[in-house]
Amino acid sequence: MAYSISYLRRFVFVAGAFALGQAAVQAEVKLPSVFGDHMVLQQGQRLPVWGWAEPGESVTVSIAGQSHTTEADKNGAWNLRLKKSLKASKSPVAFTVKGSNTIDFKDVLVGEVWLCSGQSNMEWSVRSSDNADKEIANAKHPLIRHIKIPHRPSDKEERDVTTDGWLVCSPKTVGNFTAVGYFFARHLQGEIGVPIGLLGCNWGGTRIEPWTTPSGFKSVPELKKDYADKLDTFPQKRDNGSINHQSPLALHNGMISPINPYGIRGALWYQGESNNGEGMLYYEKKKALINGWRDIWNNKKMPFYFVQLAPYKYGGEPTRLAGIWQAQLETLKVPHTGMAVTTDIGNIRDIHPRNKQEVGRRLALWALTKDYGKKGIEYSGPLFKSARFRKGTAIVRFTHADGLKSTNGQPLSHWEVAGEDEKFAAAQAEIKGNTVVAKSDTVKKPKFVRFGYHQEAEPNLANAAGLPASPFTTAELE
């Protein structure tokens, strides 16, 4: 397997954060806190394991019958990679690390590990979701585990962070799990039958820039001037000397770096509210985030599944949110991505819709189809494919369009067309096979068409699976 230069460089130095200053006092073998009792290890990958010890100390890692030895470098950092990938196991596997002392991890499972990141809608807990009391009482899923990474900005790439460790899902623990992550895991685990580990690495209200890596910013030409050329100025500090957690790199350094390169299958992302109004610029930033994470995890095909924001009455220009929707829709052009549309399960008076069950399920549909080989599952609602204009009508084609229907039996809502002047007017729309035909009495020669293009739009177009169509526009956006 070929590794990128940046990844190899990172892996060589991944355990070096406590170098020099701590090497002299570091006598015992230690691993970062993402390794711990009750953890889930990723199946099917030659996993990296890293930590610290006395400089020159021999360290042996034994996992599930295989054993490998390495030596701590002059700074006390050590790392190695398993020679064989692990197979999923519902019963605990042995995991021991031995140097001058021995660490014997307890109740370690092997299965699927997913990073759950973003802002408040990803951090939103099971306790605060729909039917919380019932969900918590029924949360007897010991094969699902969760670890929460604490909020922590940093001006350098940290190698460890203090956590409360991995928690086994139960009525006593699940209340504080990421709800979207938990409901994703519950649906996934019920379908594929292996343990699921969730890395809860999220922070309410955060922008996308602080989560992005340096290599991610460098990978997108459109971000060169404002970000890639200024990386040495980030993260920014406030007047009191504290790190501005909303500035670029701050949360990559403090929250993502400490868990990288822990083995994961992919990432779930729910964010965008704090970047509302940026339109297609958000698409460029999203590409940077995805590229960067794939780079530091050395996996160009790492799945990245995200949630399209729900309708909400933000105020101001009513199409600003729709610009983010379009940017999110465009992100599907990036290979190995998927999007859960939520226009039908939001709450325009609450920026935190409580139905996280369906959000998690819709994300799981993508993973089941794309990563776990499940057949016969419709995993997406209708997605815009093309539009042509003929005899005063807009004829729109979609992918995932089998069984197009109105979800409430009423005429299709939130369709608009515009002529050369790009002044959109309400349109009447009807389903014809796998297409929608829209027209307006006030626009005789339509050239553009858009759907659901308002922050409070809750349109009624779906496919036979009941999955809603994504908003879109054919007009050019800045």
Side-chain angles (χ1 to χ4, degrees), residues 5 53 72 195 205 212 274 284 298 300 379 388 425 451 472 478:
I5 292 176
T212 306
S274 291
E284 306 299 340
N298 190 45
K300 293 181 179 179
Y379 54 92
R388 62 189 177 97
F451 164 70
F472 72 88
E478 295 182 358

Side-chain angles (χ1 to χ4, degrees), residues 23 30 46 82 94 170 177-178 209 253 276 286 320-321 345 418 466 470 472 475:
K30 181 181 183 295
R46 292 180 50 234
L82 301 187
S170 73
F177 285 17
T178 158
E209 297 90 339
N253 288 345
N276 189 24
K286 198 93 168 285
R320 292 173 74 244
L321 176 59
I345 51 174
S470 170
F472 72 88

Side-chain angles (χ1 to χ4, degrees), residues 53-60 68-74 76-80:
E54 192 72 21
E57 184 175 349
S58 178
V59 178
T60 299
H68 309 291
T69 300
T70 188
E71 186 176 288
D73 66 18
K74 64 181 181 180
W78 59 266
N79 63 78
L80 57 79

Side-chain angles (χ1 to χ4, degrees), residues 68-340:
H68 309 291
T69 300
T70 188
E71 186 176 288
D73 66 18
K74 64 181 181 180
N75 295 321
W78 59 266
N79 63 78
L80 57 79
R81 183 177 295 278
L82 301 187
K83 295 238 179 109
K84 297 180 181 179
S85 61
L86 302 178
K87 295 182 179 180
S89 174
K90 296 181 182 180
S91 57
V93 300
F95 187 165
T96 301
V97 181
K98 188 172 183 179
S100 59
N101 60 302
T102 299
I103 301 173
D104 187 13
F105 292 111
K106 307 295 185 184
D107 188 32
V108 177
L109 301 180
V110 181
E112 293 294 302
V113 182
W114 288 83
L115 173 65
C116 304
S117 193
Q119 58 181 109
S120 56
N121 270 307
M122 180 60 82
E123 190 168 32
W124 201 256
S125 67
V126 174
R127 189 183 311 282
S128 298
S129 302
D130 279 350
N131 304 313
D133 290 346
K134 182 179 179 180
E135 294 289 8
I136 290 172
N138 292 331
K140 299 170 184 177
H141 301 287
L143 297 184
I144 297 175
R145 280 91 188 277
H146 177 274
I147 185 172
K148 181 72 166 83
I149 307 304
H151 298 171
R152 182 193 188 190
S154 179
D155 60 356
K156 64 181 184 300
E157 290 189 340
E158 303 290 349
R159 294 283 82 86
D160 198 8
V161 64
T162 301
T163 74
D164 292 330
W166 286 87
L167 299 177
V168 178
C169 178
S170 73
K172 292 183 179 180
T173 63
V174 77
N176 291 325
F177 285 17
T178 158
V180 168
Y182 168 66
F183 294 122
F184 167 87
R186 186 178 69 180
H187 191 80
L188 196 63
Q189 205 277 323
E191 292 289 330
I192 66 176
V194 304
I196 308 293
L198 302 171
L199 300 173
C201 192
N202 35 64
W203 189 342
T206 52
R207 297 175 59 83
I208 193 171
E209 297 90 339
W211 297 102
T212 306
T213 72
S215 64
F217 283 123
K218 292 176 182 178
S219 72
V220 179
E222 290 79 1
L223 302 181
K224 183 178 187 299
K225 180 180 178 181
D226 292 334
Y227 298 97
D229 288 348
K230 299 179 180 179
L231 290 177
D232 59 348
T233 69
F234 301 131
Q236 296 159 340
K237 291 187 177 181
R238 300 184 178 91
D239 292 342
N240 63 6
S242 65
I243 303 298
N244 178 2
H245 73 283
Q246 294 283 34
S247 62
L249 308 185
L251 303 184
H252 157 67
N253 288 345
M255 295 177 67
I256 295 294
S257 184
I259 62 175
N260 175 259
Y262 190 85
I264 64 174
R265 171 66 65 189
L268 306 179
W269 177 254
Y270 196 159
Q271 191 275 344
E273 296 92 341
S274 291
N275 289 85
N276 189 24
E278 293 189 347
M280 293 306 292
L281 177 60
Y282 185 70
Y283 168 52
E284 306 299 340
K285 293 178 179 180
K286 198 93 168 285
K287 287 190 293 185
L289 178 78
I290 297 168
N291 293 345
W293 283 1
R294 287 176 174 173
D295 177 56
I296 65 173
W297 262 284
N298 190 45
N299 184 354
K300 293 181 179 179
K301 296 181 179 181
M302 186 177 84
F304 183 94
Y305 302 136
F306 58 95
V307 183
Q308 193 178 57
L309 301 186
Y312 176 68
K313 191 173 183 178
Y314 286 91
E317 171 54 49
T319 62
R320 292 173 74 244
L321 176 59
I324 291 289
W325 287 338
Q326 186 68 24
Q328 292 175 317
L329 179 63
E330 291 292 317
T331 302
L332 292 176
K333 293 178 179 177
V334 178
H336 312 291
T337 59
M339 179 176 73

Side-chain angles (χ1 to χ4, degrees), residues 421-442:
D421 58 5
E422 294 192 39
K423 293 182 178 180
F424 281 91
Q428 301 80 47
E430 61 179 334
I431 296 166
K432 289 191 176 181
N434 288 341
T435 68
V436 171
V437 179
K439 64 179 181 179
S440 172
D441 294 337
T442 62

Side-chain angles (χ1 to χ4, degrees), residues 408-470:
N408 57 8
Q410 299 298 310
L412 298 184
S413 62
H414 300 285
W415 284 86
E416 299 171 281
V417 293
E420 289 277 2
D421 58 5
E422 294 192 39
K423 293 182 178 180
F424 281 91
Q428 301 80 47
E430 61 179 334
I431 296 166
K432 289 191 176 181
N434 288 341
T435 68
V436 171
V437 179
K439 64 179 181 179
S440 172
D441 294 337
T442 62
V443 181
K444 301 304 182 183
K445 294 183 178 181
K447 184 179 179 181
F448 304 101
V449 60
R450 67 187 187 187
F451 164 70
Y453 221 72
H454 189 287
Q455 63 187 3
E456 298 176 48
E458 297 175 294
N460 57 356
L461 178 63
N463 57 21
L467 296 172
S470 170

